[in-house]
Amino acid sequence: MDEEQLTLARMQQLLEENLELAEENNQLLRKMRRMGRLRMVGWILLIILPFLLLIPVMNVLIPSTGGEDSGIFGLPTVERVQRALEALQSQEIGERL
């Protein structure tokens, strides 16, 4: 009977240790998840923030590169490209007639 009680006590002790380890593991995993989210937010800010800070600078530079009708870095805007395509198509139609 004593041996059986010792075995039960040892099993109880092992179960309690296992529970403590599982709780500690759960806490560590939650911290890791939290840090992962913070890192992701940090990288997003690191990538997006410079572009947001460059927008005012680009707004100052755009009029000097090509006027209001040009896009970023002086490239034509979508509307300007569409107008050019429409003009080209109307010229092609005029030449065919």
Side-chain angles (χ1 to χ4, degrees):
M1 195 70 154
D2 288 333
E3 189 174 317
E4 199 173 301
Q5 286 179 349
L6 287 174
T7 304
L8 287 175
R10 178 71 177 143
M11 286 179 66
Q12 180 70 24
Q13 180 187 6
L14 290 173
L15 283 173
E16 288 174 3
E17 287 178 20
N18 190 11
L19 180 63
E20 289 175 12
L21 287 173
E23 288 173 353
E24 182 182 352
N25 186 29
N26 193 17
Q27 288 175 354
L28 289 173
L29 287 173
R30 286 183 181 175
K31 286 180 184 178
M32 287 173 59
R33 182 182 297 162
R34 192 176 313 124
M35 289 303 296
R37 288 179 185 155
L38 288 174
R39 280 188 181 156
M40 185 172 58
V41 168
W43 277 107
I44 289 171
L45 287 176
L46 186 67
I47 292 170
I48 293 176
L49 193 61
F51 289 107
L52 293 176
L53 295 174
L54 281 177
I55 288 174
V57 173
M58 294 308 299
N59 287 337
V60 170
L61 294 177
I62 285 174
S64 64
T65 57
E68 294 177 8
D69 203 20
S70 64
I72 193 164
F73 300 120
L75 298 172
T77 60
V78 174
E79 293 84 17
R80 193 170 181 186
V81 171
Q82 287 175 346
R83 280 186 277 161
L85 288 174
E86 289 171 1
L88 183 63
Q89 288 174 350
S90 66
Q91 284 178 354
E92 288 177 4
I93 292 172
E95 289 176 3
R96 289 182 189 168
L97 295 176

